[in-house]
Amino acid sequence: LPKLMVSVLSPRTVALHQQFSPRFADLKFFSLSLVRSQTLGEALRLFSFTLIAFLVVKTITHRRQIQRMMTVIVAMGLFEALYGIFELYQKNPRVFIYRKIFNLDSATGTFINRNHFSGYLEMIIPLALSLAIFRLDFFGGPGRKWRDRLSAWTGSTAALLVFASVALVMMSLGIILSNSRSGVFLLVLTFVIGLELTAFHFSQARSRQIWLRRFLVASFALITVLALYVGIDAMLGRFAHDNLLHEGRPRMWGNVLSIIRDFPFFGTGLGTFASAYPIYATVKFEGMVLVHAHNDYLEYLSELGLVGFLLLAGLVFYVTVDSFRTWSKRRNPEIRGLAMGGIISIFIILVHSLTDFNLHIPANALLFSVVLALTYATVYHRKS
């Protein structure tokens, strides 16, 4: 844009160019982004996630496809959990071919950061709950004789239930062993929300509700026993009051608010946080360069400004709320069971984003896009 227009839309952008660009006097045009190449790269990545979500909505049109997609995602989560737990107890832990040098006391799977490993599993655990509820509805449904229910244990119905149950327990154990405070809190919240939604939306079918509540309570009890058995001292230590006081996130968020104040409408440019933050930094982290705000909302708001943030967050908010409202009106128990996990998954990762940057990690952002689109496709699914 012309220099004059940029000076009106974002005066601080022109001021920074004047301060740091040696050719400022010769430049006639500026970008609203402080670093155009970073914005282009991040925009292409965000567009890729949007395109994948669109493809999921357009191509996943049958119930069997929905179930198969969820099964594949849960299998990925089970692998991450098993691999993370396996490497945790090795003398020389690795991340595939690389030697593991960070978070040696925590399970991280194929991730480097334990919180991102936890965030990944947090989005998949509700899907495992969905698959289990989807199968339990068959065993607990009204009008079925015990002979029919027992015969089902020899078929694919029982196999999927066992798979989902094992994955649920192992992924929960993986979160506990990751020593992620947010992860453990959100794991408990997942089961609480699951119980509440089960009680509310299956209230008219008492037989289904009883079976599902028993399954959730039994799963949570088993996970608690396993957590106590393997030891949770390290995780409890991270909840200690003195650890919380010594973290610099509140001061860091204050610095991010300063960026938002100077770039209120259009931000510094998508993907430019790492370049803009050092100008405003008042808190230093020894031995590391801060590249994320540890709060997805503040980071996107500082990069996109109010205009871009409302467009991005508004789209996610609309799809989430519309999916929940549609799901609450559905009467098909299979669709309810499959979609409930997706709704919980979206809510959980959006809460975690208040204290971390999971949605800036490509693997987690991709998974979020797929889960969001899959949930939307599920709640609107109709038999041909």
Side-chain angles (χ1 to χ4, degrees), residues 148-342:
D148 297 331
R149 294 173 182 171
L150 290 175
S151 63
W153 285 101
T154 61
S156 59
T157 299
L160 182 60
L161 176 60
V162 172
F163 165 73
S165 302
V166 171
L168 175 64
V169 173
M170 297 309 301
M171 286 189 290
S172 299
L173 189 59
I175 288 180
I176 293 171
L177 292 177
S178 72
N179 298 324
S180 170
R181 292 171 305 197
S182 299
V184 173
F185 168 76
L186 292 172
L187 175 62
V188 176
L189 184 61
T190 296
F191 281 90
V192 172
I193 296 175
L195 283 170
E196 292 298 324
L197 292 183
T198 298
F200 181 74
H201 287 287
F202 291 91
S203 57
Q204 296 179 350
R206 298 293 299 175
S207 58
R208 290 193 183 106
Q209 183 187 138
I210 292 173
W211 275 78
L212 299 179
R213 288 177 68 87
R214 286 176 179 174
F215 173 78
L216 290 172
V217 172
S219 300
F220 186 73
L222 177 60
I223 292 166
T224 302
V225 171
L226 287 175
L228 294 174
Y229 176 76
V230 300
I232 55 176
D233 295 340
M235 183 271 293
L236 292 177
R238 297 204 73 228
F239 278 96
H241 186 62
D242 58 343
N243 286 344
L244 292 174
L245 288 179
H246 283 85
E247 290 189 351
R249 290 187 185 181
R251 288 180 292 167
M252 177 177 63
W253 293 336
N255 297 333
V256 179
L257 290 176
S258 298
I259 300 177
I260 296 171
R261 181 194 61 212
D262 285 353
F263 300 86
F265 298 111
F266 300 99
T268 61
L270 188 63
T272 62
F273 177 83
S275 299
Y277 182 81
I279 305 172
Y280 295 84
T282 60
V283 55
K284 305 294 183 182
F285 294 87
E286 185 178 355
M288 64 177 291
V289 177
L290 195 68
V291 296
H292 292 289
H294 291 267
N295 182 310
D296 281 320
Y297 302 100
L298 288 180
E299 184 165 343
Y300 276 124
L301 189 55
S302 68
E303 292 181 343
L304 296 173
L306 190 60
V307 175
F309 179 79
L310 288 178
L311 289 174
L312 179 62
L315 176 62
V316 174
F317 180 78
Y318 170 78
V319 174
T320 302
V321 173
D322 186 61
S323 296
F324 178 77
R325 292 179 61 183
T326 305
W327 172 79
S328 64
K329 297 176 183 177
R330 294 300 302 268
R331 297 183 180 274
N332 188 318
E334 292 183 347
I335 295 302
R336 279 185 172 183
L338 288 173
M340 189 174 78

Side-chain angles (χ1 to χ4, degrees), residues 22-38:
R23 298 180 57 250
F24 172 78
D26 299 331
L27 296 176
K28 303 298 182 183
F29 294 89
F30 290 100
S31 169
L32 287 172
S33 170
L34 295 179
V35 187
R36 289 179 295 175
S37 59
Q38 293 176 356

